Structure formats: structure tokens, C-alpha cells
């Protein structure tokens, strides 16, 4: 599923983000950049130890922000480590922090002059952010970025399962 915005493409696909060939893939990281389960574990396993070596040098990344490393053995050139919020009921700034994690990732891509980027569904696994709410924020934040001046020509959401894919489809078509 695709949407054209301002001559650029926003695309939804179901699969494993580690095999994406976009310039950057985004990791749903924790603030310590220590690696973990879920998409974080998959990226470090597929990319090899170089990504963790660079992550350690960064010394952490606060919730709602994003940090960049190279991508080791992955096909992508960079991994952007975005730190989404843990869901605590929605009254602890979660929507703003989630939007900020996406926005900061897009800003890093812009600073680096990247043409393409892939996102997972940040915060909706171990961090328990409700899927439909997270999808709406993710899609709205990317749409807003693509409507402005950006070198990004292609933004892909790589959804790991059907439930996530359907939630992002609903968000994209609403
Ligand atoms: P968080 O801690 O931010 O919630 P998780 O990694 O637990 O991060 O989950 C975020 C999302 O990433 C979930 O929807 C999960 O299904 C998905 N996911 C897990 N592995 C992969 C993968 N290899 N590629 C893309 N998405 C993945």
C-alpha cells in the first residue's frame, strides 16, 4: 500500500525490517542503547557487533529522541536508534514522546541527506503502546515531514505482523 505526498512515497509493507535496502532503517531502541528483544535484537543479530560498538560510544539516547550509527552487515547504510515511550496509560506525555521519536529520526535523515528510510512500529511491542493510537501518530508525523522540504523520497513502514499492518493501513486511509 502506497500514498504519494508532495511527489514522495509513503509505503506500508509487512515483513522483517533487517532485510530492507533503504538508506537507513530505524530501530525501536531503549534509552541506554543496550540492545534488547524484539526489533532491536533482530537488528543487532543481523547487523553484527559493529552497531553495538558504536552504540556504546554514544552513551545513551533520551526517550523521544534518536541517535545514528552505521549499519554493520545490513544492506542499509545507517541504523537510526529511536527511543519511543513505554505506555503508562497515556497521561505521561506518551503521544508527544512517540511523535518526537519519529520526528527526530526524520530530522537525522534530513541532516544526512538520506533518500529513503524504513520504520518499525515504535513502542507497540514490549513498550505496549496501543497499536491504533501509535499508528495514527506515526503516519501523521511522517506525512507532515514529507509535506515539507526534505531529501527523503521514500518512507517505508515495515510491519512485522498482520495486526500491525492492518492498523497502519487504517491510519493511512483515514
Ligand atoms: P518497543 O520496545 O519499542 O515496543 P519492540 O521491538 O518490542 O519495541 O516492538 C516494536 C514493534 O516491532 C512490534 O510491533 C514488533 O512486532 C515489531 N518487530 C519485531 N521484530 C521486528 C522485525 N524484525 N522487523 C520489523 N518489526 C519488528
Amino acid at each position: 500500500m502506497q500514498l504519494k505526498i508532495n511527489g514522495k512515497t509513503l509505503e506500508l509493507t509487512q515483513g522483517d525490517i533487517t532485510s530492507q535496502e533503504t538508506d537507513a532503517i530505524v530501530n525501536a531502541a531503549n534509552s541506554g542503547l543496550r540492545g534488547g528483544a524484539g526489533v532491536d535484537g533482530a537488528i543487532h543479530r543481523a547487523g553484527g557487533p559493529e552497531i553495538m560498538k558504536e552504540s556504546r560510544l554514544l552513551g545513551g539516547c533520551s526517550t523521544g529522541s534518536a541517535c545514528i550509527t552505521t549499519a554493520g552487515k545490513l544492506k542499509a547504510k545507517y541504523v537510526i536508534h529511536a527511543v519511543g515511550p513505554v505506555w503508562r496509560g497515556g497521561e505521561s506525555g506518551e503521544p508527544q514522546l512517540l511523535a518526537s521519536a519519529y520526528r527526530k529520526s526524520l530530522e537525522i535523515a534530513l541532516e544526512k541527506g538520506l533518500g529513503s528510510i524504513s520504520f518499525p512500529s515504535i513502542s507497540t511491542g514490549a513498550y505496549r503502546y496501543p497499536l491504533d493510537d501509535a499508528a495514527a501518530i506515526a503516519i501523521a508525523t511522517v506525512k507532515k515531514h514529507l509535506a515539507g522540504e526534505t531529501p527523503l523520497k521514500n518512507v517505508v513502514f515495515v510491519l512485522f505482523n498482520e495486526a500491525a499492518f492492518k492498523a497502519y493501513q487504517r491510519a493511512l486511509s483515514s
Side-chain angles (χ1 to χ4, degrees):
M1 185 176 183
Q2 278 193 1
L3 184 71
K4 283 274 181 198
I5 301 166
N6 199 11
K8 301 142 193 168
T9 309
L10 171 52
E11 186 184 335
L12 306 184
T13 184
Q14 198 179 323
D16 178 351
I17 200 167
T18 61
S19 52
Q20 282 292 309
E21 298 184 16
T22 46
D23 292 338
I25 65 169
V26 176
N27 181 16
N30 52 62
S31 56
L33 300 180
R34 294 178 307 271
V39 68
D40 199 347
I43 288 173
H44 285 288
R45 270 195 305 279
E50 181 59 31
I51 302 173
M52 183 51 73
K53 211 169 123 190
E54 286 181 43
S55 295
R56 281 204 200 91
L57 296 175
L58 294 170
C61 191
S62 57
T63 303
S65 73
C67 301
I68 189 166
T69 66
T70 59
K73 295 186 290 185
L74 297 173
K75 288 177 185 143
K77 296 188 194 79
Y78 298 101
V79 176
I80 296 175
H81 304 267
V83 186
V86 175
W87 178 257
R88 294 197 166 87
E91 303 294 325
S92 304
E94 294 93 332
Q96 293 78 8
L97 289 166
L98 185 62
S100 174
Y102 280 102
R103 208 168 45 241
K104 293 282 167 54
S105 302
L106 293 161
E107 284 168 7
I108 289 175
L110 185 151
E111 282 162 19
K112 290 272 180 192
L114 305 184
S116 57
I117 186 169
S118 300
F119 283 99
S121 177
I122 298 171
S123 284
T124 63
Y127 283 4
R128 303 182 315 274
Y129 206 111
L131 197 48
D132 281 302
D133 296 340
I137 289 170
I139 295 284
T141 307
V142 169
K143 271 186 172 175
K144 193 169 172 196
H145 183 85
L146 291 180
E149 276 298 313
T150 174
L152 281 170
K153 290 186 168 50
N154 188 22
V155 178
V156 187
F157 280 98
V158 183
L159 293 324
F160 203 49
N161 55 41
E162 203 181 345
F165 184 72
K166 288 198 164 149
Y168 278 71
Q169 263 186 330
R170 284 192 291 276
L172 192 60
S173 44
S174 74

